[in-house]
Amino acid sequence: MSHPLDPLARLMQTLTERAEKRPSGSYTTKLLEGGTAKIGEKIREEANELIEAADESGDSGREHFIYEAGDLLFHTLVLLAHKSVNLDEVAAELARREGISGLAEKASRENKD
């Protein structure tokens, strides 16, 4: 039985493989070869586009917002692959935070400095 998040797991697997093999002609390879600076630039761009799309109304605005969210997630996953971090590790971190107030979690990080 499939799960709605299966496509993310498959994409992460593909990106991990591309990070290891760096196939020529791949957009992902081009991003990976640009390193954190190039991938980060794309993440910033996609985040801005997502925020802009959030203000669009109607069904077309919703569809555009979903499209931009996909772009942001894709580029974030590319950065995870670049850093050899698996999506499961991020899920485990989110699970660790589950039930903890966002303000309390942020305060605990500030106390570590």
Side-chain angles (χ1 to χ4, degrees):
M1 181 180 204
S2 67
H3 187 276
L5 296 180
D6 286 348
L8 285 176
R10 287 192 302 271
L11 177 58
M12 190 72 232
Q13 180 61 40
T14 299
L15 295 174
T16 299
E17 290 171 7
R18 294 213 173 127
E20 292 169 1
K21 297 176 183 171
R22 306 284 173 107
S24 64
S26 162
Y27 173 66
T28 301
T29 297
K30 181 180 174 184
L31 286 171
L32 292 164
E33 289 176 352
T36 303
K38 180 69 175 171
I39 303 165
E41 177 183 317
K42 285 301 295 181
I43 290 172
R44 284 185 195 95
E45 175 187 323
E46 299 302 341
N48 284 332
E49 290 175 5
L50 178 67
I51 293 164
E52 290 171 10
D55 285 333
E56 297 174 13
S57 60
D59 289 342
S60 63
R62 179 178 171 77
E63 288 174 22
H64 186 211
F65 179 72
I66 292 167
Y67 179 88
E68 294 301 344
D71 280 354
L72 180 58
L73 285 172
F74 172 82
H75 289 91
T76 300
L77 293 177
V78 170
L79 186 57
L80 291 175
H82 177 67
K83 297 297 293 177
S84 300
V85 172
N86 191 291
L87 196 53
D88 291 339
E89 293 175 87
V90 177
E93 173 58 20
L94 292 174
R96 183 191 69 78
R97 295 181 193 181
E98 195 170 359
I100 300 172
S101 158
L103 295 174
E105 196 278 332
K106 184 176 183 205
S108 74
R109 285 186 282 135
E110 290 171 354
N111 291 335
K112 292 179 182 177
D113 292 338

